[in-house]
Amino acid sequence: MPKFEYAPAPESRAVVSLRESYGLFIDGEFTPGVDGRAFKTISPATEEVLAEVTEAGPADVDRAVAAARKAYEHTWAAMPGTARAKYLFRIARIVQEKARELAVLESLDNGKPIRESRDVDIPLVAAHFFYYAGWADKLEYAGYGPAPRPVGVAGQVIPWNFPLLMLAWKIAPALACGNTVVLKPAETTPLTALAFAEICQQADLPPGVVNIVTGAGETGRALVTHPGIDKVAFTGSTEVGKEIARACAPARKKLTLELGGKAANIVFEDAPIDQAVEGIVNGIFFNQGHVCCAGSRLLVQESVQDEVLAALRRRLETLRLGDPLDKNTDVGAINSAAQLAKIRELSEVGEAEGAQRWSPPCDLPVKGFWFPPTVFTGVSQAHRIAREEIFGPVLSVLTFRTPAEALEKANNTPYGLSAGVWTDKGSLILWMASRLRAGVVWANTFNKFDPTSPFGGYKESGYGREGGRHGLEAYLDV
Ligand code: NDP
């Protein structure tokens, strides 16, 4: 398949006006940190410094929790659901109005292609606020009793892979149910959360309902262990999730954890191969593979292995890697030097353990953090690249002969977040879906997200559900 040469089509940065430095968003205002510490956030595509951001210490977390408590007790929890809904609808509409600005900002700070931030992340952010705005005045019909009460103040910690979308998954249901929040974005991607703080101001959200404290792991730890927090919501690595679970248990804080994954994308011999190849590409190369539910293990039926792999290689040769702001880019930058080092290390382990490594010819930019789309064949279940979450654009290919073998291999993982099944037979889809130990099973598609649909894991992928009616439960005292 020839790769057409396209002229550069960069999205303009002019829509974004970055400040030189950002304070913390506490009690409706941007405020400096108590101890004056700050860190820089960079563009992972160019290593250019974008802005300086305040590092919140324990005293700042205290202030944010106090503001959230005050807003919870005096304003938000007592407000009728219809009034809370108005604010959420207003936020959703402002997100839509600012969609281009938010998409450019997300691609700058995160490194993801503008095509994805513009067409996936930001529309889904607005959709989440619209969806949960609709629930705010209908909670008594949600199946949690006639007058379900909020939990209180929620401490929310989110990762860097979908910065604004994870914020929306956390804040929209929390607010709809009458809780107030203190949220900590990831150290490498704080900018869209700070833009969201400005949106809260623009929406006239009462002070203290949403508080944003920027910082690194220490800030997150101070937040989740704070005695003034009633509920903790975390998305991130299994390792940190376990630490948070241990910290929350003695205080009996309500907790939801959305952790890692090692999803199987299972292609049967009767699958529509071209569509399946698109699903494989979307499954693992979308967002550079920085996706907790990524289809990082391809399980392909032995009889069609050669056909699928040949089509996959042809398709990967057409992917464009480079400037995240170019509208033709398919694969953007790796989010950080640390993540790149982890991807490199595990890929080297894959080779050392005997798997065959392949990448399409592709020039990597000199500046920034980059990794080419990579496929490992000849992978066995014992290989580390088949067991550990790489969280990068790296696919491990395994084969199977029978549905039972596919099922056993798919479930042979400590994780259980998602899975994909590709076949022409509805009966086989149902047979597999009812036996796969995964929170989400996609059939003849992959990585489809919708605010009405619950999302969450089994086993070491965490517990609790986000999205849909089920997502309300985490923020109600039930
Ligand atoms: P982390 O789990 O460390 O980070 C997630 C969030 O938790 C970030 O906001 C982080 O802050 C914060 N945090 C870190 N330590 C603590 C703590 N002790 N208490 C409270 N909050 C804390 O993920 P990493 O970014 O370090 O990525 C490591 C690996 O985790 C990746 O390689 C990937 O495999 C996996 N991962 C999985 C994700 C998923 O969605 N399932 C998302 C992100 C990562 P800060 O960023 O400032 O350190």
Side-chain angles (χ1 to χ4, degrees), residues 157-158 160 184 187 216 220 234 237 243 259 292 339 342 389:
V157 177
I158 56 171
W160 42 262
K184 192 201 86 68
E187 181 184 7
F234 172 78
S237 62
E243 186 187 324
L259 309 175
C292 46
Q339 189 59 29
K342 184 183 164 191
E389 186 177 43

Side-chain angles (χ1 to χ4, degrees), residues 38-44 50-56 109-110 157-161 163 183-194 213-220 235 335-336 338:
F39 60 97
K40 291 183 171 48
T41 184
I42 63 167
S43 152
L50 297 172
E52 194 172 86
V53 178
T54 303
E55 185 178 336
D109 206 17
N110 169 281
V157 177
I158 56 171
W160 42 262
N161 53 345
L183 177 133
K184 192 201 86 68
E187 181 184 7
T188 57
T189 54
L191 293 182
T192 45
L194 294 163
V213 287
T214 43
E218 273 311 305
T219 307
T235 297
N335 180 252
S336 65

Side-chain angles (χ1 to χ4, degrees), residues 261-283:
K262 194 72 191 176
N265 205 356
I266 307 161
V267 179
F268 286 95
E269 60 190 359
D270 63 344
I273 299 296
D274 287 344
Q275 280 173 40
V277 166
E278 288 307 308
I280 295 164
V281 171
N282 177 35

Side-chain angles (χ1 to χ4, degrees), residues 265 278-286 289 291 293-296 446-447:
N265 205 356
E278 288 307 308
I280 295 164
V281 171
N282 177 35
I284 184 65
F285 302 114
F286 170 64
V291 183
C293 52
S296 51
F446 208 92
N447 271 345

Side-chain angles (χ1 to χ4, degrees), residues 6-22:
Y6 291 159
E11 178 72 57
S12 167
R13 278 179 65 159
V15 283
V16 168
S17 47
L18 281 168
R19 292 193 223 159
E20 237 171 68
S21 64
Y22 289 84

Side-chain angles (χ1 to χ4, degrees), residues 101-331:
E101 179 185 338
L102 293 169
V104 172
L105 191 57
E106 197 75 302
S107 284
L108 275 174
D109 206 17
N110 169 281
K112 64 173 70 200
I114 186 75
R115 241 165 21 102
E116 294 178 9
S117 50
R118 181 195 64 194
D119 299 345
V120 183
D121 294 51
I122 307 303
L124 278 172
V125 170
H128 260 84
F129 279 98
F130 276 122
Y131 176 73
Y132 280 109
W135 269 118
D137 62 346
K138 302 176 193 70
L139 295 173
E140 64 263 46
Y141 308 112
Y144 302 110
R149 288 199 319 257
V151 182
V153 176
Q156 307 178 318
V157 177
I158 56 171
W160 42 262
N161 53 345
F162 293 92
L164 195 60
L165 184 57
M166 288 303 103
L167 173 149
W169 280 29
K170 300 272 178 290
I171 292 186
L175 264 49
C177 293
N179 306 272
T180 57
V181 306
V182 181
L183 177 133
K184 192 201 86 68
E187 181 184 7
T188 57
T189 54
L191 293 182
T192 45
L194 294 163
F196 182 81
E198 289 169 356
I199 290 175
C200 292
Q201 287 179 324
Q202 204 180 327
D204 268 335
L205 191 72
V209 173
V210 168
N211 304 274
I212 310 279
V213 287
T214 43
E218 273 311 305
T219 307
R221 187 178 283 125
L223 178 59
V224 300
T225 54
H226 195 286
I229 294 288
D230 304 300
K231 190 246 152 29
V232 172
F234 172 78
T235 297
S237 62
T238 296
E239 189 191 346
V240 174
K242 285 180 181 173
E243 186 187 324
I244 291 176
R246 278 192 292 271
C248 288
R252 301 182 65 113
K253 287 178 187 159
K254 194 162 175 157
L255 175 64
T256 39
L257 295 174
E258 202 267 90
L259 309 175
K262 194 72 191 176
N265 205 356
I266 307 161
V267 179
F268 286 95
E269 60 190 359
D270 63 344
I273 299 296
D274 287 344
Q275 280 173 40
V277 166
E278 288 307 308
I280 295 164
V281 171
N282 177 35
I284 184 65
F285 302 114
F286 170 64
N287 202 27
Q288 296 71 247
H290 300 329
V291 183
C292 46
C293 52
S296 51
R297 286 184 299 152
L298 171 62
L299 301 190
V300 58
Q301 196 153 13
E302 212 171 78
S303 49
V304 289
Q305 177 189 196
D306 292 344
E307 186 186 350
V308 169
L309 288 179
L312 180 63
R313 289 196 178 108
R314 276 199 306 276
R315 179 69 178 88
L316 292 184
E317 280 168 5
T318 69
L319 289 184
R320 290 178 162 74
L321 176 147
D323 181 5
L325 288 185
D326 191 312
K327 287 173 236 173
N328 295 320
T329 294
D330 300 299
V331 182

